[in-house]
Amino acid sequence: MLETPAQVMNIFCSGLAWIFSVTLLTVGIIYHLRRQHWQHEAEADRTQPIQAPSQRASAASTKRAFETSGKYHMTMGLRRSDLERWLEIDDQYLIEHNIRSTLLDHHKSRVLQSLPGSEAACMEVLDLVVDFLTRAYPAQFKHRSSSAGSDLVEVAASGEVFRVNAPFDGLDPLEIAARLAMEDFNVLIKGKDNVHTLEASATLFPVGWSVSDRIGWSLARLHCTVPLWQEKVGQAVERFFSRITPASPMERSNYFVQVTEPHQTLQDILCQLESLEGNPKPHRPDDIVFRWERQIFRRLPKSGAVLFSVKTGLTKLCEMNSSELKDFAIEARSWPEGVANYKRRNLWGECALKYCDSMAGVESE
């Protein structure tokens, strides 16, 4: 018996629904298997020792080379990252540790935020930080258990002891990670709309913003003020965040030129929670500081979130050699107007570039 058109359509729709259901089930199974594989790799890595600091190659600087072609190109600037160098402890540790502790004690809501649903990822971040620091720097970070069943990490430099298992002595897991390390930590999670959003962040060293204002923002919104970002790299960045795996961490370097004032403390310079609008022009080259960032992106194997960590370093303009100054001047002059305004060249450009040119002249004589 021949089916009517309505019956044919019903059969067709039923077939499509069945195919769609099978496809969803298959994708779910594949993702579950990938997560199991990532977790297995992560547990296997924990059995591998990390070389002691004295035996490891010197930590790469947060600096990056300047673009000397005279042409501005916006790129992601990514390179493969070595997870044995994920977190770095340097001779500024105790100074910055005390600053970070002060910020968390007195300005916690402005430097630390986490949204519901990010709890598992934040606990995973703490677990990874503890595992790395106690294996890579065993003299500085000692891992032990108490008779009461507490999992503890002792920081030799400060004498502090942190409980790193629940109930964490009233601290947030991400807060403990930020107190132990020198890096800031950002957790991004992909939503049902396939867009990554900032779900948790310990950003203690921002420049001109606070995490309390930006928590929950998408990647596109986080970069909405960056000239050319959406047109040049916006879609590529979102694809990159979707494809990154625990076995393929990536990193990039970035810098920002910052104007300081004589009365500012190191905490004032590192943690700039307010807008930079209205900052005065520098009176001398010594007032200009380069703020370098080493940014590392990695997939968390258990929660599946993306962790974006940032190590910040500072260098005064006057501490850079003549070759670096010459290269920086070439790059700064290549910026289109919108980029130059975003990087605030109108504020520091005259003073900085005049100094760069004078030092290059001295070198060539």
Side-chain angles (χ1 to χ4, degrees):
M1 182 177 178
L2 295 175
E3 288 85 354
T4 65
Q7 290 174 320
V8 171
M9 182 57 69
N10 286 335
I11 294 172
F12 177 73
C13 291
S14 298
L16 282 180
W18 182 83
I19 293 172
F20 182 69
S21 299
V22 171
T23 302
L24 283 179
L25 178 61
T26 303
V27 170
I29 292 173
I30 292 173
Y31 181 71
H32 177 70
L33 292 175
R34 286 183 67 191
R35 287 279 294 276
Q36 284 187 324
H37 177 68
W38 292 344
Q39 292 182 37
H40 176 74
E41 285 189 333
E43 292 302 321
D45 287 344
R46 290 170 184 252
T47 66
Q48 303 300 317
I50 298 177
Q51 289 180 315
S54 60
Q55 298 173 316
R56 298 162 70 205
S58 298
S61 171
T62 51
K63 292 183 179 180
R64 74 160 174 82
F66 295 111
E67 174 56 58
T68 58
S69 69
K71 297 180 180 179
Y72 177 73
H73 302 284
M74 173 171 278
T75 64
M76 294 173 65
L78 293 167
R79 59 186 181 274
R80 287 297 298 268
S81 184
D82 178 6
L83 283 184
E84 287 208 353
R85 291 180 41 249
W86 175 40
L87 304 178
E88 297 179 345
I89 302 298
D90 59 33
D91 58 5
Q92 294 295 300
Y93 178 79
L94 185 57
I95 295 173
E96 292 192 12
H97 172 79
N98 290 335
I99 290 174
R100 295 169 76 83
S101 296
T102 298
L103 290 169
L104 286 165
D105 289 341
H106 300 287
H107 305 283
K108 182 175 177 178
S109 65
R110 301 200 69 191
V111 298
L112 178 76
Q113 289 284 329
S114 59
L115 297 179
S118 66
E119 295 86 355
C122 291
M123 290 181 66
E124 188 175 3
V125 173
L126 175 59
D127 190 31
L128 290 172
V129 168
V130 168
D131 177 69
F132 184 93
L133 292 178
T134 55
R135 287 195 296 139
Y137 304 95
Q140 291 100 317
F141 302 92
K142 299 186 183 297
H143 198 183
R144 58 184 174 84
S145 297
S146 72
S147 57
S150 298
D151 201 10
L152 306 173
V153 171
E154 181 178 348
V155 182
S158 66
E160 296 168 292
V161 177
F162 293 94
R163 180 170 180 172
V164 294
N165 66 337
F168 305 105
D169 286 341
L171 300 179
D172 296 312
L174 195 62
E175 175 183 354
I176 299 172
R179 287 178 182 268
L180 290 173
M182 299 185 74
E183 284 79 2
D184 288 345
F185 299 106
N186 301 278
V187 175
L188 294 105
I189 298 176
K190 181 190 280 191
K192 294 180 180 179
D193 55 359
N194 290 324
V195 171
H196 285 85
T197 56
L198 183 64
E199 296 295 304
S201 178
T203 300
L204 285 74
F205 295 163
V207 56
W209 61 279
S210 70
V211 69
S212 57
D213 296 329
R214 300 190 180 186
I215 192 69
W217 285 19
S218 66
L219 285 171
R221 191 178 180 192
L222 287 168
H223 294 87
C224 64
T225 60
V226 181
L228 305 177
W229 187 88
Q230 190 59 51
E231 306 96 290
K232 298 292 185 181
V233 299
Q235 291 185 350
V237 171
E238 189 64 60
R239 287 196 300 270
F240 162 70
F241 270 72
S242 296
R243 293 173 180 173
I244 190 171
T245 71
S248 62
M250 303 293 287
E251 69 176 88
R252 67 186 295 269
S253 298
N254 192 30
Y255 75 91
F256 182 81
V257 182
Q258 189 170 332
V259 177
T260 64
E261 298 180 66
H263 68 272
Q264 287 184 310
T265 64
L266 180 59
Q267 177 174 315
D268 296 331
I269 295 170
L270 283 169
C271 181
Q272 301 236 330
L273 293 167
E274 307 300 334
S275 169
L276 301 180
E277 294 298 326
N279 281 11
K281 288 188 175 183
H283 296 290
R284 53 190 181 138
D286 202 45
D287 295 334
I288 300 172
V289 170
F290 278 74
R291 183 189 190 95
W292 308 94
E293 292 183 349
R294 177 176 180 243
Q295 305 173 352
I296 296 182
F297 308 86
R298 60 182 298 185
R299 175 82 62 188
L300 299 180
K302 294 181 180 179
S303 64
V306 173
L307 176 62
F308 166 34
S309 60
V310 183
K311 172 77 183 296
T312 300
L314 301 174
T315 305
K316 285 189 174 183
L317 179 72
C318 296
E319 294 173 345
M320 296 170 64
N321 62 47
S322 59
S323 178
E324 291 173 320
L325 294 171
K326 179 181 178 181
D327 291 348
F328 164 67
I330 293 173
E331 179 174 314
R333 289 186 169 112
S334 75
W335 296 335
E337 182 179 359
V339 175
N341 291 336
Y342 172 75
K343 294 178 178 288
R344 306 181 65 77
R345 192 181 66 190
N346 61 318
L347 182 68
W348 50 259
E350 181 180 359
C351 180
L353 296 177
K354 182 179 180 180
Y355 176 78
C356 292
D357 291 344
S358 68
M359 294 304 294
V362 169
E363 182 74 5
S364 62
E365 291 178 355

